[in-house]
């Protein structure tokens, strides 16, 4: 069989984290009762007029600048005309002729090394409503809460060659958008959606083959399987002397196969034309300069800084920056307790363990960094045993309790009561003459037995170090006698 190369380009839709919609003041919040976040504008009522949300432009600029794009300082909105019940205006407001950003790139890293993926363009557009097909009642319902939620569509060049590169590219975009605060990019919840354009060609060929576009991919695993499946399907066609038809296909992840949805439509089919209700957008040099200046530290800058400044391993730095939320919590906690290494241990250990156990995404972790910082300081000052501290942290993780108050209330604080410690040592030794004789006879193992007994007696109210010290002192004095 001939050797084939896979060629992939992605169209990625990212839902922007604005409070209100792109052309009206309705809330963008997810999960409201159907059709409650709506108004005449986002339900396409006659006579209503769109007004552009400035924050959408701000976010698109941030994303475009981070992806090394050229900014079209005069950009415009166009109407993309088509009928579908989730699209009440009968057109979607998008950008075709003058998109806000063009010609950028992002760098990805795979097992084969680093590589640049070209960004053809980024444009602003509105999302459609949602159709809910009720098979039981044999009807379809429509919810316009999502209608008019702002999106940016990021169109890559056909620069990717494998599922691994596609995954790395999507992760790169996700990290970028999250760090910029532009979107939370949750593939599962649809705030990031990827359409995969794929073609195959004989290895060494200079021209591209005919591509198909796959929709409905909502996890990295589904994307990987869809790429493998479509690559094989196209190679089989070519090997049989047939042609690949340019079409839109829907991937069914349960059946692990795709089926044709519609033949590929062209821009001209949509009769795009400039939206007469929206004036062109002018972006000043000053606006672009401000955004460049305010650009936050990105993940690829944080990873080396964590290693250099905090003395963390590359592995730890990568894990801690996996989500911008985690990185932010980590940095704030470390700054408050002034101990980045100990903080990193807590995050790599307890924070990640609990988020996994309780199935909470790092993006959704919410506790006050000050609470963990206080706890870390108390452990350092030996005011609480590490074991009890872990239990207290679970309370912080779940309900953000104040550890200082909680530890006091539950009597978990180690109070260094010298008198109590000394009298307990004496009593325990007196009560166990057999083991004591062994210890005095040089059997060091018995020391651990006494430490255990003491800790149990004092119920964590003395630190293991203090117990060991008191025990050593007392046995030594008895040996001398
Ligand atoms: P549309 O047809 O949707 O207007 P484009 O032709 O600009 O869009 O391409 C859409 C996406 O398809 C882009 O991400 C691009 O990289 C990708 N693409 C274009 N040609 C090919 C090809 N032959 N093989 C794989 N991907 C392709
Ligand atoms: Mg397209
Ligand atoms: Zn509205």
């Amino acid at each position: 069989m001939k050797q084939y190369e896979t060629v992939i380009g992605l169209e990625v839709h990212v839902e922007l984290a604005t409070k209100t919609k792109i052309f009206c003041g309705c809330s963008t919040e997810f999960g409201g009762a159907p059709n409650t976040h709506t108004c005449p504008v986002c339900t396409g009522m006659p006579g209503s007029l769109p007004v552009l949300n400035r924050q959408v432009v701000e976010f698109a600029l941030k994303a475009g600048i981070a992806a090394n794009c050229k900014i079209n300082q005069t950009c415009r909105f166009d109407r993309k005309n088509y009928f579908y019940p989730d699209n009440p205006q009968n057109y979607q407001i998008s950008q075709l002729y003058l998109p806000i950003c063009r010609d950028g790139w992002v760098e990805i890293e795979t097992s084969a090394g680093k590589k640049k993926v070209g960004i053809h363009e980024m444009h602003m557009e509105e999302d459609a409503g949602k159709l809910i097909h009720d098979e039981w009642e044999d009807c379809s319902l429509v919810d316009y809460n999502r209608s008019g939620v702002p999106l940016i569509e990021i169109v890559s060049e056909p620069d990717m060659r494998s599922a691994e590169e596609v995954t790395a590219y999507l992760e790169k975009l996700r990290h970028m958008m999250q760090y910029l605060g532009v979107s939370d990019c949750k593939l599962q919840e649809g705030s990031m959606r990827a359409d995969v354009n794929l073609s195959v060609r004989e290895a060494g060929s200079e021209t591209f083959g005919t591509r198909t576009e796959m929709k409905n991919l909502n996890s990295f695993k589904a994307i990987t399987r869809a790429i493998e499946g479509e690559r094989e399907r196209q190679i089989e066609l070519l090997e049989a002397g047939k042609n690949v038809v340019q079409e839109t296909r829907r991937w069914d992840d349960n059946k692990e196969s795709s089926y044709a949805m519609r033949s590929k439509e062209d821009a001209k089919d949509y009769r795009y034309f400039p939206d007469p209700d929206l004036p062109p957008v002018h972006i000043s040099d000053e606006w672009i300069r401000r955004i460049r200046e305010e650009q936050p530290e990105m993940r690829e800058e944080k990873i080396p800084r964590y290693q250099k400044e905090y003395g963390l391993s590359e592995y730890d730095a990568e894990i801690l920056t996996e989500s911008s939320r985690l990185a932010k919590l980590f940095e704030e906690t470390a700054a408050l307790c002034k101990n980045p290494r100990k903080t990193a241990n807590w995050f790599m250990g307890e924070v990640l363990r609990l988020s996994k156990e309780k199935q909470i995404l790092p993006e959704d972790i919410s506790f006050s960094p000050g609470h963990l910082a206080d706890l870390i300081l108390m452990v350092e000052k030996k005011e609480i045993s590490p074991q009890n501290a872990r239990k207290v942290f679970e309370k912080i993780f779940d309900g953000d309790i104040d550890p200082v108050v909680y530890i006091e209330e539950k009597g978990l604080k180690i109070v260094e009561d010298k008198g109590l410690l000394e009298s307990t040592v004496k009593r325990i030794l007196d009560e166990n003459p057999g083991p004591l004789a062994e210890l005095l006879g040089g059997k060091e193992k018995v020391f651990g037995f006494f430490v255990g007994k003491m800790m149990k007696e004092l119920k964590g109210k003395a630190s293991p170090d203090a117990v060991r010290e008191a025990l050593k002192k007392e046995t030594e004095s008895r040996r001398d006698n």
Side-chain angles (χ1 to χ4, degrees):
M1 202 174 86
K2 294 173 194 150
Q3 289 289 99
Y4 289 93
E5 182 180 50
T6 320
V7 173
I8 306 166
L10 294 193
E11 290 160 283
V12 176
H13 286 90
V14 170
E15 229 173 52
L16 299 180
T18 54
K19 293 218 160 52
T20 56
K21 294 186 180 180
I22 181 167
F23 299 121
C24 63
C26 292
S27 164
T28 54
E29 209 178 312
F30 184 76
N35 298 306
T36 52
H37 300 164
T38 54
C39 73
V41 174
C42 56
T43 50
M45 294 294 152
S48 63
L49 286 171
V51 177
L52 178 61
N53 179 347
R54 185 187 174 88
Q55 189 67 40
V56 172
V57 183
E58 170 99 7
F59 279 170
L61 282 175
K62 281 189 180 198
I65 289 170
N68 310 293
C69 291
K70 295 193 185 97
I71 305 298
N72 269 329
Q73 289 184 251
T74 300
C75 70
R76 221 169 44 188
F77 286 95
D78 303 296
R79 291 186 178 179
K80 179 182 183 181
N81 300 283
Y82 68 96
F83 167 77
Y84 205 62
D86 63 7
N87 172 30
Q89 301 154 144
N90 274 359
Y91 56 82
Q92 178 196 27
I93 305 179
S94 180
Q95 296 192 295
L96 179 76
Y97 301 108
L98 286 173
I100 185 165
C101 313
R102 268 194 183 135
D103 298 332
W105 54 268
V106 297
E107 192 175 65
I108 60 166
E109 193 168 0
T110 62
S111 49
K114 289 183 176 162
K115 146 172 191 178
K116 278 182 186 171
V117 174
I119 304 288
H120 182 72
E121 67 167 68
M122 281 191 198
H123 61 254
M124 303 177 277
E125 60 186 30
E126 57 179 341
D127 209 346
K130 219 179 222 170
L131 278 182
I132 300 137
H133 303 291
D134 190 333
E135 278 168 42
W136 199 248
E137 295 284 344
D138 195 24
C139 67
S140 291
L141 303 166
V142 65
D143 176 6
Y144 290 119
N145 282 354
R146 202 179 63 183
S147 168
V149 166
L151 301 173
I152 48 174
E153 178 172 343
I154 305 165
V155 183
S156 84
E157 298 294 349
D159 286 347
M160 287 161 273
R161 296 291 176 267
S162 66
E164 190 195 0
E165 288 186 0
V166 169
T167 305
Y169 171 74
L170 288 170
E171 287 283 18
K172 179 74 186 202
L173 289 186
R174 180 173 68 87
H175 285 132
M176 226 166 80
M177 300 303 153
Q178 283 185 354
Y179 274 91
L180 291 170
V182 157
S183 170
D184 61 10
C185 286
K186 290 180 186 163
L187 223 50
Q188 317 80 352
E189 288 182 14
S191 56
M192 182 175 178
R193 309 194 280 269
D195 300 338
V196 175
N197 295 273
L198 185 150
S199 62
V200 296
R201 63 177 171 187
E202 260 183 69
S205 160
E206 291 291 318
T207 52
F208 288 140
T210 305
R211 75 176 192 274
T212 59
E213 180 176 351
M214 276 183 295
K215 293 193 179 286
N216 193 33
L217 303 166
N218 53 13
S219 73
F220 284 109
K221 281 196 187 122
I223 289 169
T224 302
R225 281 192 287 264
I227 288 172
E228 306 299 342
E230 183 59 12
R231 172 188 152 85
E232 275 170 34
R233 193 188 70 85
Q234 290 189 13
I235 291 175
E236 267 171 37
L237 283 173
L238 297 181
E239 287 285 306
K242 294 180 185 156
N243 288 325
V244 173
V245 179
Q246 186 170 336
E247 63 194 357
T248 303
R249 302 179 65 85
R250 196 173 181 86
W251 174 253
D252 185 333
D253 202 40
N254 294 321
K255 296 198 183 114
E256 294 203 24
S257 68
S258 64
Y259 56 90
M261 252 165 84
R262 56 175 187 250
S263 65
K264 177 74 185 155
E265 64 289 335
D266 259 328
K268 63 178 187 301
D269 299 325
Y270 288 114
R271 305 269 158 160
Y272 278 94
F273 66 90
D275 193 308
D277 290 341
L278 287 156
V281 181
H282 296 288
I283 297 157
S284 65
D285 294 340
E286 171 54 31
W287 195 354
I288 295 175
R289 212 191 50 236
R290 178 174 60 73
I291 287 180
R292 274 189 208 285
E293 274 167 15
E294 287 173 4
Q295 207 78 318
E297 184 184 34
M298 303 296 273
R299 182 170 187 244
E300 51 281 5
E301 299 165 291
K302 276 193 197 294
I303 293 174
R305 180 169 69 81
Y306 281 15
Q307 291 171 259
K308 226 176 110 200
E309 207 169 292
Y310 300 152
L312 304 182
S313 69
E314 185 178 9
Y315 177 77
D316 286 4
E318 279 176 1
I319 303 256
L320 290 171
T321 53
E322 229 312 288
S323 110
S324 60
R325 173 84 195 141
L326 203 65
K328 185 163 181 277
L329 283 175
F330 163 71
E331 286 180 29
E332 287 176 11
T333 310
L336 287 167
C337 72
K338 300 192 175 56
N339 198 334
R341 269 167 168 273
K342 283 263 148 48
T343 307
N345 289 344
W346 273 89
F347 273 79
M348 295 298 292
E350 293 310 289
V351 177
L352 289 177
R353 182 179 68 77
L354 289 173
S355 77
K356 205 167 173 187
E357 215 174 273
K358 295 171 194 275
Q359 299 193 329
I360 292 173
L361 287 176
E363 288 81 26
D364 296 329
I365 297 176
S366 72
F367 61 80
S368 314
H371 286 162
L372 176 55
D374 282 346
L375 186 64
I376 293 173
L377 288 172
M378 288 181 84
V379 177
E380 288 308 287
K381 284 191 258 166
K382 297 200 167 42
E383 289 175 357
I384 183 161
S385 69
Q387 200 186 356
N388 280 337
R390 278 197 292 275
K391 288 184 194 149
V392 174
F393 179 65
E394 188 163 351
K395 300 275 178 209
I396 296 178
F397 189 89
D398 288 339
D400 202 24
I401 54 115
D402 181 339
V404 179
V405 175
Y406 182 85
I407 288 167
E408 195 69 55
E409 273 173 11
K410 298 278 165 189
L412 294 172
K413 193 160 177 183
I414 297 169
V415 273
E416 293 283 307
D417 184 338
K418 269 235 149 75
L420 177 70
L421 195 59
E422 278 164 19
S423 62
T424 312
V425 173
K426 286 193 176 117
R427 184 163 53 76
I428 296 276
L429 291 180
D430 290 342
E431 281 170 10
N432 297 280
L436 176 61
E438 283 180 286
L439 180 61
L440 294 177
K443 211 170 169 194
E444 286 299 322
K445 260 199 223 151
V446 187
F447 193 78
F449 160 80
F450 280 113
V451 173
K453 266 211 157 336
M454 292 280 297
M455 292 303 289
K456 210 166 159 191
E457 196 78 15
L458 294 163
K459 293 208 176 64
K461 286 209 165 196
S463 68
D465 284 351
V467 164
R468 259 185 223 108
E469 203 176 306
L471 201 55
K472 211 173 236 159
K473 215 170 122 199
E474 184 60 24
T475 45
E476 241 132 62
S477 82
R478 292 193 185 202
R479 185 176 283 138
D480 296 342
N481 289 337

